[in-house]
Amino acid sequence: MELDNIKKHCERLVKQIDFYVGEGKGREILSDLYNVTGEETPQECAKWANDVISRLEDNIDSEKLILIRQECACVKTNKYSAYNKKYFKELRENNTDENEYLKAVANFLNGRPRIGQKVEFVDGKIITHIGIKNSCGCFTVKNGWDKPESITWCRCCQGTLYSVYQFVLPEKACHMDIVETHATDGSDCVFSTWYTEK
């Protein structure tokens, strides 16, 4: 990935803080952490990311913080994607029972790039295993750390997955949570997705 991933990430982060907390709050909360150039080493990126985590957790409530971090995802799917416009519709047409449909979705997504190495439907939930064993695959701090200091950082990966899974049952509310990540001393990054009535 390009060296300026950290700069792009910081710009997205400031924008999302402004949106969820208030105009100008992004630069205020990050203050000295805003001046990244994109020329930082992976180790400098990791230190920056851990400093950002602390600053965010000290200044923003947890519900807003999850939304902010999800919106900072490096890769996101939108309503025009083939997932939404084609694949999920075809799977739904062939599986009228909701649980059978969700199993079909999990099978379809299993091993797809940017989704995960393993996707399964277990006890009413879609479980996604990112599949990067024993190291964090974050593009922003690539190879800069063994693991983030908090799952706050991992919410970006959650945002990438959420951007896809929200279109599986668009008439329902999509919920996601972290089962484990390297930040929680897990050996993999695992996310759980489920749906409720809106």
Side-chain angles (χ1 to χ4, degrees):
M1 300 304 287
E2 298 173 7
L3 284 176
D4 64 348
N5 277 346
I6 189 173
K7 188 169 178 58
K8 289 177 184 175
H9 193 88
C10 188
E11 289 168 359
R12 276 195 302 272
L13 184 56
V14 168
K15 182 179 176 182
Q16 293 309 317
I17 293 170
D18 285 355
F19 180 80
Y20 285 102
V21 181
E23 193 65 35
K25 289 291 186 181
R27 287 183 187 228
E28 179 185 321
I29 289 170
L30 295 181
S31 60
D32 57 313
L33 298 176
Y34 181 74
N35 298 318
V36 290
T37 65
E39 299 298 321
E40 288 78 8
T41 66
Q43 291 72 29
E44 289 169 334
C45 290
K47 182 185 182 316
W48 174 84
N50 283 323
D51 290 344
V52 165
I53 290 168
S54 296
R55 192 78 56 85
L56 294 175
E57 290 177 346
D58 288 347
N59 289 281
I60 300 172
D61 73 72
S62 59
E63 282 186 24
K64 284 183 181 174
L65 187 49
I66 290 171
L67 296 172
I68 289 166
R69 294 300 297 145
Q70 280 188 164
E71 290 299 322
C72 290
C74 296
V75 179
K76 290 177 74 177
T77 298
N78 62 39
K79 64 183 177 180
Y80 304 107
S81 77
Y83 288 125
N84 183 43
K85 299 293 260 181
K86 181 177 189 241
Y87 301 125
F88 294 153
K89 287 181 180 178
E90 289 174 357
L91 290 170
R92 191 88 186 252
E93 287 169 6
N94 295 325
N95 297 277
T96 54
D97 176 77
E98 187 173 294
N99 281 339
E100 290 303 314
Y101 167 61
L102 293 175
K103 283 181 195 173
V105 166
N107 288 335
F108 171 76
L109 294 174
N110 194 30
R112 289 202 177 262
R114 298 181 180 164
I115 300 294
Q117 293 300 313
K118 181 179 176 186
V119 181
E120 55 190 341
F121 185 66
V122 179
D123 296 330
K125 296 181 178 181
I126 297 174
I127 307 298
T128 305
H129 303 256
I130 298 296
I132 301 172
K133 298 291 183 190
N134 301 314
S135 68
C136 177
C138 176
F139 294 141
T140 303
V141 292
K142 193 79 171 167
N143 301 319
W145 57 18
D146 293 325
K147 65 175 188 170
E149 290 182 359
S150 165
I151 64 168
T152 292
W153 195 259
C154 309
R155 300 292 181 181
C156 285
C157 286
Q158 180 175 320
T160 294
L161 296 174
Y162 183 86
S163 75
V164 173
Y165 287 127
Q166 67 180 328
F167 297 116
V168 171
L169 290 171
E171 72 279 8
K172 293 195 170 187
C174 177
H175 307 276
M176 289 196 72
D177 209 354
I178 292 171
V179 176
E180 67 172 314
T181 71
H182 301 300
T184 65
D185 293 323
S187 62
D188 193 1
C189 298
V190 183
F191 299 82
S192 174
T193 307
W194 70 99
Y195 302 88
T196 59
E197 299 300 328
K198 286 185 178 177

